Amino acid sequence: MLKTLPKNTKVVVIGGGVIGCSVAYHLTKFGCKDVVLLERDQLTSGTTWHAAGLVSQLGPTAAITKIRKYSLDLYKKLEKEVDHSAGLRINGALSIAQTKSRWQELQRQATTAQLYNVDIKILDKKTIEKDYPMMEANDLQGGILMPGDGAADPSGVTHMLAKAARFGGAQIFERSPVEKILIRNGKVHGVKVNGNQIECEYVVLATGMWSRQIGEKIGVSVPLYPAEHFYVITEPIENLSKTLPVIRDFDNRVYFKEDAGKLLIGIFEGKSIPAFDKTNEVPENFSFGEFPENFEHFEPYLEKSMKRFPILEKIGIRKFFAGPESFTPDTNSLLGEVPEVKNLFLSCGLNSVGIGTGGGVGKVTAEWLITGHINEDIFNYDIKRFQKFHSELSFIKDRITESLGDLYGMHWPYKQHKTSRNKKLLPYHDLLKGFGACFGVSGGYERPMWFALDGEKTEYEYSYNYQNWYPSVEYETTNTSNNVGLFDLTPFSKFEIKSEKAHEELQRICTSNIKNEIGKCTYTHMLNEDGGIEADLTIACLDNNYFRIISSAATRERDKFHIKKHLSDGIELHDVTDEYCVLGIFGPKSRMLMEELCKDDFSNVNFEFANSKFVLIDGVKIWTQRLSYVGELGYELYINNKDSRKIYEKIIEKGKKFNLSNCGMHALDTMRMECGFLHWGHDISPEENQYQCGLDFTISFKKKVNFIGREALEKIKDKKSDRKFSMFTLKNNEPGKPLILHDEPIYLEDKIIGRTTSGNYSFNFRKNLAFGYIENKFTEEELSNKNLYIEIEKVKYSADLLQKPLKYLNFKKI
């Protein structure tokens, strides 16, 4: 092993766990040989060494499934290439369901698995009893077996990756703690380690549970925190099968793994214990440490384990383990370049799945660093899905008491977290609550999801079938279509550029021809160099050389980062998201309501679609845009926060005359699908280009600007896309029967030709509605004359292809 630290290198990877070693290996594999990995103690000494080592192929999204499948395939391949055992034991994994709801969830997983060629077998109770006689199965609904899953040796995987990284040219230094990350002009400059300085262009923070406090020292927000994590290992069990699959008993929050003739029992309890609770930070010298036994905390789950495996009543415990494991607010990893420091990348926050995803996470991180972007829908792993407040102790310590348990809790559709709530309240929050709002979190804000009708509870009753908020959404969507609805749009991300070069800059980073005329609005996209859609947004010209950019609530930090990354030096982008409340007034009577609120002329001649202007309401000057995401005549009002409560009350008062209804986000999402509007993060992402999703009308080749992604688009514009966006309805038109969500297979006769991306029930049209992508090799006649199906919970439902949206309004004429 090399003992002399180099004075410079291209990339420094900090952290010698499975993730850091994977990143180093993949950097060398992709041609970056100038890599130094620094480990403060020994390889695996943080969290990796005590991992259970489970590997599973199926994830909650397509991108995560690809990461997990790649990891397992990589470990198999590297074992042979570098002659080092990863300790793989592919005994399979069996997930069992005790409740009907859990059985529905598992059947949905089994259905989704078909999209990614993951081998799954559905087992009934009798089969489970026969195949696994040591396990009590009388209370089960069934189970799904994934024969290709199993477990690996965490130390073996890590040292195998380290060996491969060295073969590729990476230098690995143990007992080399990084004392400081050096930054110059907002960009990584190097690191200080053992009193020495290494200059570098990039730093990858793969420091696991230390990452939040390391980031805090340099002003970088890393929202994770360690919880106490537990498992026990029993005494040897006679006749315990060495080929026993990993058994996940989600309803009891326990898992079982055969371990050299013994049984390892681990838990993901509903309420976890934050680690290092007295100091609020992980000690620098905490390497192979453990916590004292907490049998009282573990005992309820041990009792449940004994009911599942009755033989445990006669078996003692050889080892009780308690140690730290870091978790994020949403149990997804933290990857990508941070917004605060250029060329500083994260690869951490693995939420107990570090071994199972380590190979793929390292690959994604390395590719991201080298290319500057990822052509996959991996937003739910991107660090930029979070904001600063997410890493504050008051938020993250409370949240991880819940998020650890989320791994084995029910993964309900539309589920809302209970911890760390009410961090951002609207100025009229209490008024919304008084009208029966059920709140969800959007961009950090408490935002109405739906409004309870008289006498109903303002809380979710979670289900994989009929939703308890359907009656509210039926009323809200119907009333908006017939009268007028009031939607809160405040969490919209809002940025402003004011510069002599503002228009020139926007032309270069946007695909549309941005209108440089006061009051004009332009719908556009921003792409990466490969033509993938990085941002979906609207740009309004407020004044000469003064523009406002509006995008979705969830992508605030991501969109801001992308824009700033591509702006020329000296051009500033101002985030004004929290300065304005936004209210949407939508519906056929919205014009009459606006004319009741102020004296302006709102006729189509004087206030055309995609135009904006200041109007005066109750003495308050309000920027108003004639736009609508619900397919109806409508207006968006941008109101200074200090005036927003008064304006909200005024709208409610004047709206009574027009039967105004408060409306939530479920109604908005349903109506945007009725009129065929796509949503970034569901229907479009960097995986898609504008031709595939039918949004090529936002491309302007006429403007004489080499906008980002133009060259890629010019290469593909005359080629037939491999897949295309399509809309479907089911022949079965009962609400919630079935519940369409996303990632359901789309069939043409008996062959899968695509997958869904969004689903809703339209009460205006009495139809189950789905969006998705299908192979672009069938004619409309073939799709119309043959049988189409969408499979949900292993049942195929007949579907019809929509040639046009359910609802279409010519906004220029109304």
Side-chain angles (χ1 to χ4, degrees):
M1 184 177 293
L2 293 170
K3 295 183 179 179
T4 304
L5 290 169
K7 295 190 179 298
N8 56 69
T9 187
K10 187 176 183 69
V11 184
V12 167
V13 179
I14 307 176
V18 65
I19 304 304
C21 292
S22 179
V23 171
Y25 161 69
H26 283 96
L27 284 168
T28 65
K29 183 184 177 186
F30 294 152
C32 181
K33 307 295 184 183
D34 203 4
V35 179
V36 169
L37 184 148
L38 301 172
E39 163 54 43
R40 60 182 181 80
D41 195 337
Q42 300 176 55
L43 298 185
T44 79
S45 64
T47 301
T48 300
W49 74 273
H50 63 69
L54 307 187
V55 291
S56 178
Q57 300 164 88
L58 189 62
T61 68
I64 294 174
T65 297
K66 288 177 187 176
I67 283 173
R68 293 184 179 183
K69 286 192 69 177
Y70 173 85
S71 298
L72 183 54
D73 291 342
L74 174 70
Y75 301 159
K76 292 176 181 177
K77 179 171 73 84
L78 279 185
E79 277 191 321
K80 298 175 182 177
E81 286 185 7
V82 303
D83 190 25
H84 191 105
S85 173
L88 286 171
R89 298 180 63 216
I90 308 304
N91 290 347
L94 174 64
S95 296
I96 56 177
Q98 203 172 341
T99 65
K100 289 183 179 180
S101 296
R102 181 71 72 178
W103 186 225
Q104 285 184 277
E105 181 180 307
L106 293 185
Q107 286 176 306
R108 282 178 177 264
Q109 289 181 13
T111 304
T112 301
Q114 298 168 129
L115 293 168
Y116 313 116
N117 296 315
V118 175
D119 183 20
I120 278 189
K121 293 177 171 35
I122 298 178
L123 309 182
D124 59 22
K125 183 168 63 176
K126 289 184 178 180
T127 304
I128 295 172
E129 287 175 336
K130 173 178 168 290
D131 292 350
Y132 310 103
M134 197 173 282
M135 184 172 72
E136 174 59 54
N138 189 52
D139 61 342
L140 298 182
Q141 300 286 326
I144 60 170
L145 176 68
M146 289 176 273
D149 288 6
D153 170 35
S155 178
V157 170
T158 305
H159 283 91
M160 178 184 69
L161 288 164
K163 189 175 182 180
R166 291 190 186 100
F167 282 174
Q171 301 180 66
I172 296 177
F173 297 86
E174 295 181 293
R175 295 183 176 81
S176 300
V178 173
E179 299 156 23
K180 190 176 183 181
I181 297 173
L182 306 175
I183 299 166
R184 180 186 294 169
N185 298 323
K187 183 179 180 181
V188 162
H189 172 58
V191 297
K192 188 176 179 182
V193 52
N194 284 337
N196 299 302
Q197 184 171 314
I198 304 176
E199 292 187 3
C200 63
E201 293 181 42
Y202 298 89
V203 166
V204 179
L205 211 58
T207 45
M209 59 184 169
W210 285 272
S211 300
R212 192 195 68 83
Q213 59 204 54
I214 291 172
E216 191 175 40
K217 291 177 182 177
I218 55 174
V220 171
S221 176
V222 185
L224 58 73
Y225 193 86
E228 296 187 13
H229 195 38
F230 306 90
Y231 61 74
V232 299
I233 300 175
T234 69
E235 295 286 349
I237 299 174
E238 190 177 352
N239 298 323
L240 181 65
S241 172
K242 291 188 176 182
T243 60
L244 183 75
V246 172
I247 294 172
R248 295 183 175 93
D249 187 349
F250 291 109
D251 292 314
N252 285 321
R253 295 184 172 276
V254 296
Y255 66 88
F256 306 90
K257 184 186 81 163
E258 191 276 335
D259 189 281
K262 302 175 285 292
L263 205 59
L264 183 151
I265 306 167
I267 67 172
F268 286 96
E269 65 273 34
K271 186 175 183 180
S272 69
I273 304 171
F276 310 107
D277 203 28
K278 293 181 179 179
T279 61
N280 291 328
E281 68 174 38
V282 186
E284 293 293 334
N285 62 352
F286 194 92
S287 292
F288 295 97
E290 299 182 34
F291 297 141
E293 293 183 5
N294 189 341
F295 193 77
E296 183 181 352
H297 186 78
F298 195 90
E299 188 174 21
Y301 304 96
L302 186 58
E303 290 176 358
K304 293 175 181 178
S305 300
M306 290 177 179
K307 290 180 180 178
R308 185 63 63 212
F309 282 87
I311 195 171
L312 292 174
E313 295 179 6
K314 304 174 184 178
I315 304 297
I317 294 174
R318 174 169 288 187
K319 168 70 176 176
F320 187 112
F321 175 81
E325 183 94 41
S326 61
F327 291 84
T328 64
D330 60 0
T331 63
N332 282 321
S333 301
L334 307 175
L335 308 183
E337 189 174 2
V338 303
E340 301 93 342
V341 177
K342 191 173 182 182
N343 290 357
L344 175 62
F345 282 75
L346 293 183
S347 197
C348 56
L350 273 294
N351 302 280
S352 279
V353 292
I355 305 303
T357 60
V361 162
K363 174 181 179 287
V364 167
T365 302
E367 185 180 347
W368 209 329
L369 185 151
I370 290 169
T371 64
H373 63 268
I374 290 290
N375 291 326
E376 291 185 57
D377 180 10
I378 204 163
F379 178 61
N380 55 352
Y381 268 19
D382 191 339
I383 177 60
K384 293 174 285 294
R385 69 189 184 274
F386 292 119
Q387 299 175 35
K388 283 278 188 185
F389 75 90
H390 286 111
S391 65
E392 294 172 1
L393 281 171
S394 60
F395 179 94
I396 190 62
K397 281 189 70 176
D398 187 28
R399 173 55 60 81
I400 63 114
T401 64
E402 181 181 7
S403 60
L404 178 147
D406 283 344
L407 288 171
Y408 273 37
M410 283 295 299
H411 301 97
W412 294 114
Y414 316 110
K415 183 179 179 181
Q416 298 291 328
H417 281 107
K418 295 180 179 179
T419 54
S420 299
R421 293 292 297 267
N422 298 319
K423 298 299 181 181
K424 289 187 178 184
L425 300 181
L426 299 165
Y428 36 88
H429 177 86
D430 60 320
L431 300 178
L432 294 168
K433 189 174 182 180
F435 282 116
C438 179
F439 293 96
V441 178
S442 178
Y445 284 92
E446 295 291 331
R447 187 182 197 182
M449 301 302 293
W450 49 278
F451 288 82
L453 301 176
D454 292 342
E456 293 190 355
K457 291 182 179 180
T458 56
E459 60 185 57
Y460 283 96
E461 294 175 6
Y462 295 120
S463 169
Y464 275 107
N465 297 110
Y466 185 92
Q467 302 295 303
N468 73 306
W469 42 263
Y470 274 173
S472 294
V473 170
E474 180 174 13
Y475 171 69
E476 292 168 22
T477 57
T478 303
N479 192 66
T480 300
S481 295
N482 295 326
N483 297 297
V484 58
L486 178 61
F487 294 77
D488 187 85
L489 309 174
T490 300
F492 274 179
S493 302
K494 303 174 277 288
F495 316 110
E496 291 183 0
I497 295 179
K498 193 174 185 180
S499 164
E500 290 183 1
K501 294 184 178 179
H503 182 252
E504 179 184 328
E505 292 287 302
L506 291 172
Q507 288 284 69
R508 186 173 52 80
I509 61 178
C510 298
T511 60
S512 300
N513 187 21
I514 306 302
K515 298 179 180 68
N516 190 19
E517 182 181 340
I518 297 172
K520 296 292 184 181
C521 299
T522 311
Y523 173 58
T524 188
H525 294 108
M526 294 180 181
L527 312 179
N528 58 43
E529 287 80 359
D530 296 321
I533 302 173
E534 293 285 343
D536 178 70
L537 32 84
T538 298
I539 297 177
C541 182
L542 306 184
D543 205 339
N544 291 319
N545 299 310
Y546 183 15
F547 296 86
R548 180 178 291 155
I549 303 168
I550 302 109
S551 65
S552 74
T555 57
R556 178 177 178 179
E557 292 300 324
R558 189 183 190 282
D559 290 348
K560 179 165 57 177
F561 174 85
H562 180 82
I563 297 166
K564 291 175 75 172
K565 178 180 178 179
H566 293 288
L567 287 177
S568 301
D569 292 341
I571 307 295
E572 292 189 10
L573 181 75
H574 299 281
D575 187 340
V576 297
T577 302
D578 298 329
E579 295 179 23
Y580 297 95
C581 288
V582 185
L583 293 172
I585 298 177
F586 304 132
K589 295 181 181 178
S590 59
R591 179 178 285 132
M592 291 183 282
L593 175 54
M594 291 301 295
E595 289 173 342
E596 189 84 12
L597 289 166
C598 62
K599 297 178 180 178
D600 286 62
D601 183 353
F602 286 87
S603 65
N604 193 46
V605 174
N606 287 286
F607 201 163
E608 295 180 338
F609 176 72
N611 277 258
S612 311
K613 65 180 180 180
F614 280 109
V615 303
L616 205 63
I617 300 178
D618 209 18
V620 178
K621 193 177 180 183
I622 298 170
W623 182 260
T624 303
Q625 300 179 169
R626 192 186 150 191
L627 294 170
S628 170
Y629 195 47
V630 302
E632 296 287 348
L633 173 68
Y635 306 86
E636 296 173 356
L637 281 60
Y638 288 74
I639 312 159
N640 193 290
N641 272 349
K642 64 181 176 61
D643 300 312
S644 61
R645 185 181 177 96
K646 179 175 77 168
I647 298 302
Y648 175 81
E649 291 178 314
K650 192 74 174 180
I651 294 170
I652 292 294
E653 176 194 339
K654 295 292 186 182
K656 292 176 183 176
K657 181 178 178 180
F658 306 100
N659 198 26
L660 175 80
S661 60
N662 279 294
C663 302
M665 289 305 99
H666 287 310
L668 183 82
D669 193 53
T670 299
M671 296 187 77
R672 68 96 183 169
M673 288 189 67
E674 290 174 345
C675 49
F677 293 160
L678 281 64
H679 184 270
W680 195 97
H682 285 94
D683 311 307
I684 48 178
S685 74
E687 279 193 32
E688 288 79 39
N689 61 61
Q690 291 146 301
Y691 293 102
Q692 291 171 321
C693 56
L695 296 175
D696 49 305
F697 65 88
T698 63
I699 305 170
S700 175
F701 288 119
K702 292 182 179 179
K703 65 178 182 179
K704 298 178 181 179
V705 179
N706 187 24
F707 58 82
I708 297 167
R710 177 170 185 154
E711 292 179 6
L713 293 181
E714 287 178 331
K715 290 178 181 178
I716 63 175
K717 68 177 182 178
D718 295 324
K719 295 180 180 178
K720 187 176 181 180
S721 297
D722 60 338
R723 57 197 177 108
K724 64 178 179 179
F725 175 79
S726 301
M727 298 176 287
F728 305 88
T729 57
L730 298 186
K731 295 186 188 298
N732 182 350
N733 290 314
E734 291 183 75
K737 294 183 180 180
L739 183 68
I740 309 174
L741 296 170
H742 53 79
D743 289 320
E744 293 102 355
I746 301 169
Y747 283 81
L748 181 61
E749 299 296 352
D750 59 348
K751 291 185 179 179
I752 295 176
I753 61 167
R755 67 179 179 94
T756 61
T757 55
S758 290
N760 260 314
Y761 185 80
S762 166
F763 289 95
N764 283 320
F765 294 89
R766 300 287 162 183
K767 289 184 180 294
N768 281 298
L769 179 60
F771 287 177
Y773 286 87
I774 60 173
E775 296 172 8
N776 191 22
K777 61 183 182 182
F778 307 103
T779 65
E780 289 184 3
E781 185 178 3
E782 285 180 292
L783 294 172
S784 299
N785 294 335
K786 292 185 178 182
N787 293 313
L788 286 166
Y789 304 96
I790 295 176
E791 186 175 358
I792 301 164
E793 294 176 23
K794 297 305 293 179
V795 177
K796 293 187 178 76
Y797 293 87
S798 294
D800 290 318
L801 179 73
L802 286 178
Q803 302 296 342
K804 59 182 181 179
L806 293 174
K807 175 169 59 181
Y808 174 76
L809 292 180
N810 189 336
F811 291 109
K812 294 182 179 180
K813 293 184 178 181
I814 58 174

